[in-house]
Each structure stands twice: as C-alpha cells, then as structure tokens.
Amino acid sequence: MRLFHTRGGVKAAAFPVEGHLPGFDGATGWLNSAPLTVEELRGKVVLVDFWTYTCINWLRTLGYVRAWAEKYLDQGLVVVGVHTPEFPFEKDVDNVRWAAENMRVAYPVALDPDYAVWRAFANHYWPAVYIADAEGQIRHHQFGEGGYEECERVIQRLLREASGDRVSDDLVSVPDEGFEAQTDWANLRSPETYLGSDQAQNFVSSDGAELRLNQWTLSGDWTIERGAAVLNEADGGIAFRFHARDVNLVLGPSRRGASVPFRVLVDGEPPGDAHGLDVDEAGQGTVVQQRLYQLVREPGSINDLTFEITFLEPGVEAYVFTFG
C-alpha cells in the first residue's frame, strides 16, 4: 500500500521501544554495500527506509532521507534502504540499480523482490521509515510522507544516547524541486489511480461525454491487463480530468530498449510553462524506461483540467497516475 501523508508524530522527549530490528536475511542482493547484519549494525543508530522506485510518495521523502544519511554518517547513523517492488519490472536489478544511481541513493540498499524483509518488519506501506537505537531496538516509525522534524529529532537523540557526543540541534534543509518537491496538499483533489483491471477505479467508456473530476478514459486499441493498460496500435490515448499541481504516470515500453513518443495536451492545448520534467513546452516526450514520468506541473492557480496523452506508436504500458 502506498501511503500519501500523515500529520503529527511523537515527541522526541518520549518514544517507546517498538520491537527489535529484525534484520535483512531475506534480501536477495545489495547495492552500494556488502550485506549488512543486525550484529554488524550493533552500536549504530539505524534508519530503515522501505521504498520502490516509481512511488511518488517515497520520492517526496527522498531528499530528507538522503540528507540525513549524509549529515549523520560520521556521527554513527546508518541508513539502509529496502527496495520492495510494487510492479514486476521493479524486481529487475538493472532497473533498481539505474534508479539508485539516477536518484542519488548512495547508502546501502537491500533488494527485497520476494517481500521477505517487508514481512519480517510486518510492513504495509511505501514509504515507511523505522529508526532503531544502538541496541537494535526500534524506537520510532513514520508511515507515509511528513514527520520529517520528528524523525530527525529522534535520530539526534539516539545518536547522543549512543555516543554521549554533542549532536547539533540544526535540522536539514532540502531543495523543494523536481520529483522531490513536497505535495501541494491544499490543491490536491485527485487520488492515485491505477489503470490495470485489479485496482482500476473511475474509468468511463470513450463515448464522447465530458469527463467529470477524477474520471478517465482510453481511446484506441488497448489491452487491459491485471496491472497495466497496454497499447496495441499507434495513436492510442488516455484522458483524465484532474485537480492538482502535478500529473505523474508510471509508464514503460513493452520491450527493453524500445522507445515510444507521446504528446501531452492540457485542456486541449500544449502545456507551455505547465509542462513536467519529462515533457517540453509543446507537450512532446518519449517513453524510454520503465519508471515514473512527470507530465504536468502547474506553475499558477490550480483548477479542474483535462489531461490527455497520445502515444504515437504502440508498445507502451501504463500503470498508475499519481498527483501532487
């Protein structure tokens, strides 16, 4: 389950023991590190971050996790990412390695394609953070976005307890840009929306009727699989009536190495300065990898708008819309 946002948290002055760090024995491999064990981590404060690389909710937390890993490395903090995939292509080690390099995830990453580490932690969410003290006791958790100050205060206190050294009270500051820009919660009225048959909601047939907010439709020749909509012929499209600053869509070519050009319109016009990271002002872009694509970022006031994407060639897989 992807978790969007939580508010509040615990006070650093009083946080309980929530169990013991179960370890990473179920990992099938590691990036950026040799395998880590609980015994090797004893004496360190450990932050475990569950992620999957297409999850926009995790991406919006990454700047903080990355900054904590860098700031507190020499003071005894070890950050361990656990990559547990949501979609089948996220099990591919080459895809995860590309994502880690592209997203500057330089701390150790345990690969968890079989959900063994996920189950050991009894975890249910992306993103999820667990913070353990030097004795291996879990002292704090954060499910979903937010809670950044609480997490950092817990890190600081546990580092002081572990070493007795002075740890600065200063908090990290991270850029609010790209995929890592924080959600515009005040203007977010569109939910995460899956396109595969297992979880699809708010789909309407393409009969020429105007879409209502959060409805979506397909045009062209598509096959609806359990986890994705797959385009069979050129010039197929997806339309979505949305209310948000950002429109993101998990896409991929059906064949490794293939590319699929596309065109984006917003209320029937090229996006101009509302184009996302993966689209130019004219609305042109290309699907070249299995990943999250940012297609719209509205720079001004937010209104109900209709997003349209047309794929100029077949062979694209569309998985899920997310908004910000």
Side-chain angles (χ1 to χ4, degrees):
M1 179 187 296
R2 298 179 187 227
L3 194 66
F4 282 78
H5 184 59
T6 58
R7 297 182 182 275
V10 300
K11 295 181 179 179
F15 45 94
V17 174
E18 301 178 2
H20 285 78
L21 200 64
F24 312 98
D25 291 345
T28 60
W30 287 77
L31 302 179
N32 305 328
S33 172
L36 297 175
T37 66
V38 171
E39 291 73 23
E40 290 174 306
L41 293 169
R42 189 61 57 91
K44 301 287 188 179
V45 174
V46 180
L47 184 150
V48 179
D49 180 41
F50 280 87
W51 64 296
T52 189
Y53 78 83
T54 63
C55 179
I56 187 61
N57 311 107
W58 169 75
L59 278 162
R60 291 191 288 244
T61 70
L62 175 57
Y64 288 91
V65 176
R66 186 195 300 116
W68 297 332
E70 295 170 355
K71 177 180 178 181
Y72 298 108
L73 173 64
D74 294 334
Q75 299 182 64
L77 176 69
V78 176
V79 172
V80 179
V82 178
H83 187 273
T84 310
E86 178 172 17
F87 301 113
F89 63 81
E90 291 177 296
K91 296 181 179 181
D92 187 309
V93 176
D94 289 337
N95 283 347
V96 183
R97 183 177 291 109
W98 168 85
E101 293 175 356
N102 183 262
M103 298 169 183
R104 296 184 289 118
V105 177
Y107 45 81
V109 175
L111 301 176
D112 188 34
D114 302 323
Y115 281 60
V117 182
W118 177 282
R119 289 192 297 270
F121 276 78
N123 186 52
H124 300 283
Y125 306 107
W126 296 283
V129 162
Y130 299 86
I131 305 174
D133 62 22
E135 300 301 317
Q137 302 174 119
I138 296 174
R139 304 293 297 277
H140 184 65
H141 69 268
Q142 171 67 36
F143 298 149
E145 302 173 51
Y148 305 119
E149 179 176 351
E150 290 89 347
C151 284
E152 189 165 3
R153 294 299 186 201
V154 170
I155 292 168
Q156 291 171 347
R157 176 169 171 180
L158 295 182
L159 288 173
R160 293 187 192 106
E161 290 180 356
S163 66
D165 295 338
R166 183 181 182 280
V167 176
S168 171
D169 286 328
D170 294 342
L171 300 174
V172 299
S173 177
V174 302
D176 194 42
E177 60 189 16
F179 281 113
E180 296 176 18
Q182 298 304 295
T183 306
D184 180 4
W185 295 107
N187 288 299
L188 179 58
R189 299 178 192 169
S190 290
E192 183 176 58
T193 301
Y194 288 83
L195 306 185
S197 59
D198 276 356
Q199 301 183 69
Q201 294 182 348
N202 297 325
F203 173 79
V204 295
S205 61
S206 181
D207 58 4
E210 185 172 330
L211 294 174
R212 297 196 300 271
L213 183 63
N214 297 327
Q215 290 183 335
W216 62 281
T217 192
L218 299 171
S219 60
D221 185 355
W222 294 81
T223 297
I224 308 303
E225 299 182 350
R226 293 183 62 184
V230 182
L231 181 61
N232 301 312
E233 296 183 358
D235 296 321
I238 310 171
F240 196 115
R241 186 72 171 170
F242 76 99
H243 189 110
R245 180 194 64 196
D246 300 343
V247 177
N248 309 300
L249 181 56
V250 176
L251 297 165
S254 299
R255 294 183 297 104
R256 183 181 290 275
S259 61
V260 181
F262 61 80
R263 179 181 67 251
V264 164
L265 300 175
V266 178
D267 268 8
E269 300 291 337
D273 61 1
H275 70 92
L277 293 171
D278 295 297
V279 180
D280 64 19
E281 292 184 353
Q284 307 296 322
T286 306
V287 177
V288 294
Q289 290 167 310
Q290 295 168 313
R291 64 174 177 87
L292 184 71
Y293 289 76
Q294 186 190 92
L295 303 173
V296 173
R297 169 154 288 173
E298 287 287 343
S301 59
I302 309 302
N303 302 293
D304 291 3
L305 298 169
T306 299
F307 165 87
E308 298 172 78
I309 185 168
T310 302
F311 300 97
L312 308 183
E313 296 178 10
V316 73
E317 299 172 343
Y319 290 84
V320 59
F321 278 100
T322 58
F323 302 89

